[in-house]
Amino acid sequence: MGDQRPGGRRRRADHRRHHPALRGKLPGLLAQAEAAAKVADGYAVTGSPPDRYRIFYAGRTEWQRWYGGERPEWTGGYAVTVGGGHHEVVLNAEGLTNSGTDDLLRHELTHAASLPERGYPGKLTWWLVEGLAEFAGAGGQAVDRYEGVADVRKMVRGGWDGKLEGVNPADDAPAERVAGSYGIGYLAVRHLVDRYGPLRLLTFFKTVVHDGRTLDVASEKAFGEQWSTLHDECVAYVRATAG
């Protein structure tokens, strides 16, 4: 969330040094990471998936010490750029459930596959970066199965200003506000994929996140539509889905 969230050929995912108490969970975690890596490969917007997804499974103490740490309390995991075009994923072992781990791995490995070498692009496109990762994390499930819809509903009814830019949660935001923000990003990306297909969405993402162009330019290029129009359609879809 914030590139973070509440890896016949050689193995694609591996783990880093870990707390001894967590060692017994590593075989299962590796199997889950292998499955998530196959999903994340589909979001390599430059066409070249990472050669390997590197994952650090952190216990309580290690979570505070690992580079890229000092994250908001609500963070379940994050992807951090380590140079050379590589991103490493750190998972917070505290409170992770087996089913939640699958979603989290797909989310974070998609960050590793899709983000540019320089790392996270900034807050204005937070909804797009996190929305793509949430879309991957959802694993193709029906939109009404997405667990954050109830939190989106609370946020929409609680006075959300209807803008995707700036929807990112504050570091001290309560859990339901965080979930609502991620859910809005997910639903906006979901609408664009449903309407235009995944390849055009990835063109849009690459133009904004990798090439540094504006949302207006990217929208015209990928979708042939003005962004102001599509933004309003995405927001309408968020509101309609939230109910």
Side-chain angles (χ1 to χ4, degrees):
M1 293 175 165
D3 69 323
Q4 61 213 22
R5 187 176 185 269
R9 68 188 166 164
R10 63 183 177 153
R11 274 183 172 162
R12 298 299 314 287
D14 66 332
H15 56 79
R16 289 301 185 94
R17 298 175 67 85
H18 51 83
H19 194 285
L22 301 176
R23 186 173 292 126
K25 297 183 179 180
L26 291 179
L29 182 69
L30 183 59
Q32 289 176 290
E34 293 284 3
K38 292 178 182 177
V39 173
D41 281 353
Y43 297 93
V45 297
T46 59
S48 300
D51 62 338
R52 187 170 285 228
Y53 294 92
R54 296 169 178 86
I55 300 163
F56 180 71
Y57 189 48
R60 182 192 299 269
T61 304
E62 291 80 9
W63 174 255
Q64 300 298 329
R65 289 204 304 250
W66 199 247
Y67 54 77
E70 299 182 0
R71 300 280 167 152
E73 287 189 13
W74 43 259
T75 305
Y78 60 91
V80 58
T81 182
V82 292
H86 299 292
H87 293 78
E88 297 192 347
V89 168
V90 188
L91 301 184
N92 187 352
E94 289 280 306
L96 265 185
T97 63
N98 198 56
S99 59
T101 300
D102 284 327
D103 292 356
L104 182 63
L105 280 165
R106 286 190 292 264
H107 179 112
E108 297 302 342
L109 296 191
T110 293
H111 278 321
S114 65
L115 285 173
E117 181 174 339
R118 65 184 179 276
Y120 209 78
K123 292 184 177 181
L124 287 180
T125 52
W126 183 94
W127 68 271
L128 176 60
V129 174
E130 296 301 339
L132 181 72
E134 283 289 273
F135 182 79
Q141 67 185 354
V143 68
D144 59 2
R145 297 285 304 277
Y146 179 73
E147 64 180 15
V149 169
D151 293 304
V152 172
R153 184 177 303 117
K154 290 177 185 176
M155 195 165 158
V156 167
R157 293 179 179 177
W160 173 50
D161 65 5
K163 296 179 181 178
L164 298 177
E165 298 82 1
V167 76
N168 43 296
D171 286 356
D172 59 353
E176 66 179 31
R177 170 67 168 78
V178 174
S181 294
Y182 279 83
I184 287 172
Y186 162 74
L187 291 173
V189 168
R190 172 84 188 225
H191 174 67
L192 294 173
V193 172
D194 286 349
R195 179 168 175 184
Y196 294 104
L199 292 181
R200 289 169 79 178
L201 184 279
L202 290 180
T203 297
F204 179 68
F205 184 97
K206 180 180 182 298
T207 305
V208 172
V209 177
H210 285 252
D211 301 341
R213 307 301 296 274
T214 65
L215 291 163
D216 295 316
V217 169
S219 183
E220 292 282 1
K221 177 180 179 181
F223 308 127
E225 296 279 357
Q226 290 188 333
W227 174 241
S228 59
T229 301
L230 289 187
H231 175 278
D232 291 349
E233 289 182 6
C234 287
V235 170
Y237 177 77
V238 170
R239 293 188 186 280
T241 303

